[in-house]
Amino acid sequence: MKKVYLIAVVFALLSMFATFMFANQLDKKTTIKDTQVVYAAAQEIADNTKITEEMIAEDAGYFKPVNMIESTLNDSMITDLTAIVDKVTVDKIYPDELLNTNRLVDADSDQVGLSQKLAPGHVAYSFSAGSVNGVDGYIRVGDTVDVIVYEKNTNGKTVTRVAYKDLKILRVSNASADATANESGSTIRDYGTLTVEVTEKQALQLYEIESDYTFKLVLNPRNKK
């Protein structure tokens, strides 16, 4: 009788072991098949941060892979970090937060801060420009302007010179919401200030011009060669 019990115990143990091995292999296959790697923030990333190639490197410490069940994923989740290079965060991203396309925009988006759009070595400078010296309300973002200055030389004679050429307009501020159209159909808006992209040295010189001289702006054609 004892021998029968012993044989039964052995078979039971073998059955349990076989069941365990089968379940373990099934679990491995299911995990491999039903999960997907997505990416989360490994540390806090401030808003208005431009994602660079250096940031997505494995040892950079900005992002980390996370295994997610495929059925829980949606199209906005990031599965390839190279796809977010040169994107900009629109809000702060917190540690362990899953990355998604809704929190990242292109660098030229209106949601991106102006500081991200400046060329290396350049700053933004804003100056007053009413209709008299600001081309009568025709200047728009993306235009370029020349700056003409009226000043007196060392002999006390008034002279005119072109102080700057091709300054890029980044913003048109305080623009009137009420636009009017002239006889040609062109839209005219009143604005208070214009913001241009310049070097720091140019910004200092523009401040001097604005403070001490009379100036006018000349609007250049968009397709200027």
Side-chain angles (χ1 to χ4, degrees):
M1 182 65 69
K2 291 182 179 180
K3 183 181 293 185
V4 173
Y5 282 123
L6 181 60
I7 293 173
V9 170
V10 170
F11 275 106
L13 291 174
L14 289 174
S15 177
M16 291 174 59
F17 179 75
T19 301
F20 171 77
M21 292 300 295
F22 174 77
N24 188 52
Q25 292 298 318
L26 182 62
D27 181 63
K28 286 183 178 180
K29 291 179 180 179
T30 302
T31 301
I32 294 173
K33 178 181 179 181
D34 296 337
T35 62
Q36 170 72 49
V37 173
V38 296
Y39 289 89
Q43 59 177 274
E44 184 176 293
I45 302 174
D47 64 316
N48 202 40
T49 297
K50 187 174 184 178
I51 308 301
T52 64
E53 290 188 1
E54 290 74 19
M55 290 176 65
I56 68 171
E58 289 186 13
D59 58 351
Y62 283 94
F63 307 106
K64 61 183 179 182
V66 178
N67 278 310
M68 296 286 291
I69 298 174
E70 286 186 349
S71 60
T72 66
L73 303 183
N74 58 62
D75 293 339
S76 68
M77 293 181 179
I78 305 300
T79 59
D80 180 8
L81 284 180
T82 61
I84 67 172
V85 173
D86 292 333
K87 299 286 186 179
V88 179
T89 58
V90 293
D91 297 298
K92 182 188 295 184
I93 297 178
Y94 295 91
D96 299 320
E97 179 181 344
L98 292 176
L99 301 178
N100 70 78
T101 55
N102 298 323
R103 307 270 272 154
L104 299 161
V105 295
D106 292 331
D108 59 356
S109 169
D110 291 338
Q111 295 176 267
V112 175
L114 183 58
S115 60
Q116 289 287 4
K117 300 182 180 182
L118 295 172
H122 287 71
V123 298
Y125 178 83
S126 297
F127 59 91
S128 299
S131 61
V132 174
N133 60 347
V135 198
D136 202 22
Y138 291 108
I139 296 175
R140 299 290 181 269
V141 173
D143 288 337
T144 62
V145 296
D146 299 341
V147 181
I148 297 178
V149 176
Y150 303 89
E151 61 183 351
K152 289 185 178 181
N153 60 18
T154 54
N155 298 323
K157 183 179 179 181
T158 301
V159 296
T160 303
R161 65 182 176 90
V162 178
Y164 288 105
K165 293 184 68 65
D166 298 325
L167 295 184
K168 182 181 178 181
I169 302 295
L170 300 176
R171 292 286 189 273
V172 178
S173 304
N174 300 332
S176 170
D178 297 324
T180 59
N182 63 8
E183 293 179 357
S184 66
S186 298
T187 301
I188 303 172
R189 294 181 183 273
D190 291 329
Y191 40 71
T193 59
L194 298 172
T195 301
V196 293
E197 184 177 43
V198 293
T199 64
E200 189 171 323
K201 181 179 179 180
Q202 288 175 323
L204 292 172
Q205 292 171 336
L206 280 173
Y207 178 73
E208 181 181 352
I209 290 172
E210 187 180 12
S211 302
D212 301 333
Y213 301 101
T214 300
F215 70 92
K216 276 186 175 290
L217 304 179
V218 177
L219 177 62
N220 295 317
R222 281 289 182 115
N223 299 320
K224 182 178 179 180
K225 295 182 178 181

